[in-house]
Amino acid sequence: MIEANEANTPRKEPGRIAAMFDRVAPNYDRANTVMVAGQDKRWRRAVREALSLQPGERCLDLGAGTGVSTVELAKSGADVIGVDFSLGMLQAHQDRQVPLVNADALHLPFADNTFNAVTGSFFIRNVADLDACLAEILRVLAPGGRMVLCEVSTPVWKPYRKAHGVFVKHVLPKVAGRVGSDADAYRYLSESTLQWPAQSDFADRIVKAGYRKVAWRNLAGGAVAMHRGFK
């Protein structure tokens, strides 16, 4: 189980987070689909469309997990590489017909200016240093390249925001346990969801990291948002 510090903020030691995802890997995709009522497929498609990938372009998919997001991105005809620091997640579906690399998003094994696009879905809130991760993404992006990050966010309608908070805190871990995943792991994911900055605050961090034309688009009433920025 991921421990919390004095401020009740989950500790994000890479080893602990990787071990957590190793544990949930066998049922991760199924649990996610059940908990969001199948909307994960729609969100993956939305990310691919937002990136506007072209055949021959190079795209990096961070926090790729089992590679399901990488497969979706590869439908564009671009050359897509998936990266995840959980070996268990990568090994859960070795039959994916896409390249998957075991690496840390804070120390990517790629040269400067390598990719036309970098993306990641529901991963960046789990990194130990958000600003360092944004800087590392900027480093591997080619000039003019774009970043699209899909992440949990803050519902824009107040009554929905309250109900969503109850669901994330109390219901999500129980549902995860019932569909065969790790309830303790999803308690951590619930805490990290509730503590993640709102859309405008995350956008400010992206701007401060050096990106331009920063914007976001709400999905699921703001419970999820896609943030975009260019190098």
Side-chain angles (χ1 to χ4, degrees), residues 84-99:
D84 202 284
F85 72 161
S86 166
L87 192 57
M89 293 286 280
L90 295 175
Q91 291 176 335
H93 288 281
Q94 298 184 48
D95 57 336
R96 305 283 193 207
Q97 300 301 306
V98 290

Side-chain angles (χ1 to χ4, degrees), residues 21-35:
F21 279 106
D22 287 345
R23 294 198 308 272
V24 303
N27 296 301
Y28 184 77
D29 290 338
R30 176 171 173 264
N32 279 354
T33 297
V34 169
M35 286 184 293

Side-chain angles (χ1 to χ4, degrees), residues 124 130-131 134-135 138 147 149 198-216 227-231:
I124 198 165
L130 169 59
D131 297 320
L134 291 172
L138 194 65
M147 173 188 73
L149 298 175
Q199 291 89 320
S200 59
D201 294 330
F202 184 34
D204 286 344
R205 299 282 285 272
I206 296 173
V207 170
K208 290 177 181 177
Y211 294 82
R212 60 186 182 85
K213 296 183 180 178
V214 175
W216 71 84
H227 281 75
R228 182 200 69 193
F230 289 84
K231 181 170 179 176

Side-chain angles (χ1 to χ4, degrees), residues 104-131:
D104 188 342
L106 297 178
H107 306 283
L108 294 170
F110 305 107
D112 296 357
N113 308 317
T114 297
F115 296 95
N116 303 104
V118 177
T119 187
S121 295
F122 308 105
F123 96 95
I124 198 165
R125 77 183 189 278
N126 298 312
V127 301
D129 189 328
L130 169 59
D131 297 320

Side-chain angles (χ1 to χ4, degrees), residues 9-10 16 20 29 31 35 38 40-41 60 72 74 92 98 116 132 137 139 153-154 174 178 181 185 207 223:
T9 300
R16 287 174 176 269
M20 179 191 74
D29 290 338
M35 286 184 293
D40 55 325
K41 299 176 183 179
L60 181 62
E72 176 66 35
V98 290
N116 303 104
I137 293 172
R139 179 185 69 80
S153 199
T154 304
K174 293 180 181 179
R178 290 180 179 178
S181 197
V207 170

Side-chain angles (χ1 to χ4, degrees), residues 15-90:
R16 287 174 176 269
I17 301 295
M20 179 191 74
F21 279 106
D22 287 345
R23 294 198 308 272
V24 303
N27 296 301
Y28 184 77
D29 290 338
R30 176 171 173 264
N32 279 354
T33 297
V34 169
M35 286 184 293
V36 299
Q39 292 186 84
D40 55 325
K41 299 176 183 179
R42 182 185 306 169
W43 297 336
R44 287 193 291 271
R45 185 169 61 249
V47 169
R48 174 171 58 82
E49 292 171 351
L51 285 166
S52 299
L53 295 170
Q54 302 300 313
E57 287 191 314
R58 301 192 70 188
C59 176
L60 181 62
D61 181 25
L62 296 175
T66 64
V68 65
S69 58
T70 315
V71 170
E72 176 66 35
L73 294 168
K75 293 178 181 179
S76 64
D79 297 324
V80 187
I81 299 174
V83 166
D84 202 284
F85 72 161
S86 166
L87 192 57
M89 293 286 280
L90 295 175

